[in-house]
Amino acid sequence: MADGIAEGFERSTTNELRAFIAIARGSSAEVRSMMAVVKDRPKLKRYLATLQRIRSLAESCARQLTGWAGAVDKFPFEGRRHLPEKERQSRQSTQKSRDLADGKWQMVES
């Protein structure tokens, strides 16, 4: 799962990132499926608590990936994952205004 997420994050487009998040969710489903298959094996009964913990972690990963996918869907841009120049400048201006209001900017005297 982690390798798929890392690869998707390094890809250059939003659609590629979405695809790798979906692949990672699929990997999580595979882990959950395998835990369901092996939990009833007699030789693995002593590891039942560990197997349940692994399943729980895979479920948590799937929920987090679903949340991330939802956040990606709300990006203010499509295609390449960077803000358009106008949006970037607007955000910088807003941040500078906040910093000024918070006293983080000081006038430099010549």
Side-chain angles (χ1 to χ4, degrees):
M1 259 187 299
D3 291 339
I5 294 167
E7 183 174 355
F9 188 77
E10 290 298 319
R11 295 294 181 121
S12 60
T13 68
T14 303
N15 285 337
E16 287 176 304
L17 175 57
R18 281 186 190 111
F20 277 89
I21 291 172
I23 291 167
R25 284 192 66 221
S27 296
S28 169
E30 290 175 347
V31 170
R32 294 189 320 264
S33 173
M34 288 308 302
M35 294 306 99
V37 168
V38 300
K39 72 178 177 65
D40 294 326
R41 300 234 172 146
K43 290 183 179 181
L44 299 177
K45 286 290 185 187
R46 63 183 164 158
Y47 302 108
L48 188 57
T50 301
L51 296 172
Q52 289 172 335
R53 177 73 178 139
I54 292 169
R55 180 181 172 88
S56 175
L57 290 169
E59 289 170 351
S60 176
C61 285
R63 285 191 301 273
Q64 291 174 51
L65 289 165
T66 298
W68 188 14
V72 168
D73 288 341
K74 294 177 185 173
F75 280 177
F77 49 86
E78 278 294 323
R80 297 231 172 249
R81 283 195 334 266
H82 59 80
L83 289 174
E85 184 64 22
K86 187 175 179 180
E87 179 72 16
R88 188 181 60 75
Q89 288 175 352
S90 173
R91 287 184 183 201
Q92 285 177 341
S93 177
T94 301
Q95 186 60 48
K96 285 180 183 178
S97 296
R98 285 185 190 138
D99 289 348
L100 184 58
D102 292 341
K104 292 180 182 175
W105 284 71
Q106 297 177 357
M107 298 295 268
V108 178
E109 294 183 26
S110 305

